[in-house]
Structures are given as C-alpha cells and as structure tokens.
Amino acid sequence: MRQSALSPRMSSLPSAAARPCRSSTATYKINLSFAAEYFDTMLSAGMAEDTMSRIEFPDKDPETWKEFYKLIDPGQVARAKKHAITMDNVRLLLPWFHEFHMMEYLDECDDVINGYLECLPAVKVSTG
C-alpha cells in the first residue's frame, strides 16, 4: 500500500513521494520555487528539504495544502481560475500566503476581502 505524501506530517511535494518518478519531484520543486522565494531557498540550498524532496508542515491541514497548491501550480492554470481566491477560502489561504511571503497572493486576498466589505450595508454610528 502506498503512503500518501499528504499524511498528517504533510509534505509540500504532494504526490512525489507516492510516485517513484524523479521528474514529478522536480516539477513540484520548480513550481514551489517559482511561487515563493521561501520555497526556492529551501529547495535549492542543499537543505534537508532539498535533499529529501520533502517539506513537512506538521501543524498544517492537508486539505488546505491541496487548495493552496491548486493556486500556485502552473500546470493547473485552467482549473486555477475555477479555484481562485474567494470568500469561501480566503481565511484558509491567507495564513499560508503570509507565512511564505507571497505578496501577489496576499494582494489578491486583500482585494477579495475589500470587495466583500464594500458589499456590506453601511452601518450608521450614533454619536450621542
């Protein structure tokens, strides 16, 4: 039985550990490296994550990782439009983008939240 790389001690290389193919691992590394300098440093500096082709986030939810990776995986561009940042997922994804210093995605989260707030009815505040 194959063990998924998305175990409770989650890997950033979602299916690379499940597949023996080295090109799959390389693809994940490239995608992550282009997505954020955080990952680029981790996966190209001879660190343990680079050597093992595995990044563990023991305090992260594997389902949220899947949602996060859908947005940064250039191989899923067509699907990414359907899985864009929305009010339904912004609260889950915002901490990931913040932790990994992904400014473009943080800006998109801000736009989603601001758009939602602009749609709320104005609240009158009494001063007396």
Side-chain angles (χ1 to χ4, degrees), residues 1-5 7 17-19:
M1 184 166 106
R2 288 188 288 185
Q3 178 183 5
S4 170
S7 63
R19 294 185 203 156

Side-chain angles (χ1 to χ4, degrees), residues 90 94 105-115:
V90 71
L94 189 60
Y105 292 95
L106 285 170
D107 290 343
E108 191 171 339
C109 288
D110 286 345
D111 291 345
V112 168
I113 294 168
N114 287 333

Side-chain angles (χ1 to χ4, degrees), residues 57-75:
F57 299 115
D59 60 335
K60 301 280 191 217
D61 174 51
E63 292 305 312
T64 305
W65 164 257
K66 290 177 187 176
E67 189 74 22
F68 172 80
Y69 194 77
K70 284 178 195 175
L71 293 169
I72 66 169
D73 180 8

